Amino acid sequence: MMLKTILREARHNARPGLPRGLVALMALLLSGVIGNAAHAADTNSGGRLYAKHCVSCHGGPGVAAAPGSPSFQRGQGLMRPDLTLMQVVRKGKNAMPSFQGRLSNGEILDVIAYMRTLH
């Protein structure tokens, strides 16, 4: 289930008087998004997945190989929160395809951890 849908449903079904932040936190906990984000990232697994799915556009050492791709060697875009980056990978962006259904949230977080080692 997409994060926006989870939050929308949580707000709609929340008891009156509960703070919005608490409703959002409860929705994230129940959806498992925070649990996935809190897993210990495996950079070895992330490196293997990066080599399989990402290297053709983002380059082996993280230097962009395709026009318009960010260069991870310079840290482009990597300073955003894990959940933000995970959503980009899941949905896709510009020429990058969606990886939802192809990679689990844990695998995506492994790739993000690996990419952060490139700069």
Side-chain angles (χ1 to χ4, degrees):
M1 191 181 287
M2 296 301 294
L3 185 58
K4 287 181 183 179
T5 304
I6 293 167
L7 292 173
R8 184 174 47 248
E9 287 180 11
R11 287 184 194 120
H12 177 71
N13 295 322
R15 291 184 180 145
L18 281 178
R20 285 183 77 144
L22 180 59
V23 172
L25 178 61
M26 289 170 35
L28 292 173
L29 286 169
L30 292 173
S31 71
V33 171
I34 288 180
N36 287 329
H39 97 278
D42 180 349
T43 55
N44 290 326
S45 172
R48 287 189 298 276
L49 291 165
Y50 181 90
K52 181 177 180 180
H53 298 285
C54 311
V55 75
S56 62
C57 293
H58 295 290
V63 177
S69 296
S71 179
F72 300 130
Q73 192 174 52
R74 294 181 300 193
Q76 280 183 323
L78 293 178
M79 300 317 294
R80 293 180 284 170
D82 287 353
L83 291 176
T84 301
L85 294 172
M86 184 179 4
Q87 284 300 102
V88 170
V89 175
R90 288 178 71 194
K91 288 182 174 181
K93 184 175 181 179
N94 300 325
M96 186 179 83
S98 167
F99 283 89
Q100 186 167 348
R102 293 180 5 189
L103 295 176
S104 69
N105 288 344
E107 289 172 324
I108 293 170
L109 291 170
D110 290 346
V111 171
I112 292 168
Y114 172 76
M115 291 184 318
R116 288 186 173 139
T117 70
L118 298 175
H119 79 283

